[in-house]
Amino acid sequence: QVQLVESGGGLVQAGGSLRLSCAASGGAFSNYYMGWFRQAPGKEREFVAGITWSVGLTMYADFVKGRFTISRDNAKNTMYLQMNSLKPEDTAVYYCNRLRGWSRNALEAWGQGTQVTVSS
């Protein structure tokens, strides 16, 4: 059974950076597509970025292109989201999940997520 644990969130000023981590276990991750999602207060959860675990092909939501970078460390079974030039509207709980194929839809149940708060 796949287990995903997010970490690395916090409070940062606008323009700052954070790196989120997603520790993965319990699956054959070399065959997986993985992604980051976020949910802001009062809004629906939305796709942020995705990556193919095997070759590192990536895709991004338009609102993070050029600011966020998704990556993975195969040896550590960990996925990352480097977030630069953060904006107050990036404030949300961030979640990692498997993707349903190479899509922007999640496959597994949601974990606890990690809170990111960007102050203006």
Side-chain angles (χ1 to χ4, degrees):
Q1 185 170 349
V2 173
Q3 292 187 324
L4 303 169
V5 179
E6 305 93 342
S7 63
L11 173 63
V12 64
Q13 288 188 332
S17 298
L18 281 174
R19 189 177 80 157
L20 306 183
S21 298
C22 172
S25 61
F29 290 95
S30 61
N31 299 324
Y32 291 174
Y33 306 112
M34 299 290 296
W36 286 96
F37 297 77
R38 71 185 188 185
Q39 187 168 22
K43 295 188 177 182
E44 292 189 354
R45 194 155 9 213
E46 60 185 353
F47 171 82
V48 174
I51 190 167
T52 61
W53 203 268
S54 56
V55 297
L57 179 67
T58 60
M59 60 176 170
Y60 296 92
D62 286 344
F63 55 77
V64 302
K65 282 182 180 177
R67 300 190 298 125
F68 292 8
T69 303
I70 189 171
S71 63
R72 85 277 184 249
D73 184 328
N74 290 355
K76 295 181 179 180
N77 267 4
T78 300
M79 180 174 67
Y80 303 99
L81 186 68
Q82 177 66 44
M83 306 187 295
N84 299 329
S85 301
L86 282 162
K87 304 175 181 180
E89 52 263 44
D90 294 318
T91 295
V93 179
Y94 283 72
Y95 302 87
C96 60
N97 208 312
R98 283 180 64 189
L99 299 180
R100 189 178 298 275
W102 190 230
S103 75
R104 301 184 177 209
N105 301 309
L107 183 64
E108 305 283 351
W110 297 104
Q112 299 277 356
T114 186
Q115 175 71 49
V116 172
T117 303
V118 184
S119 63
S120 57

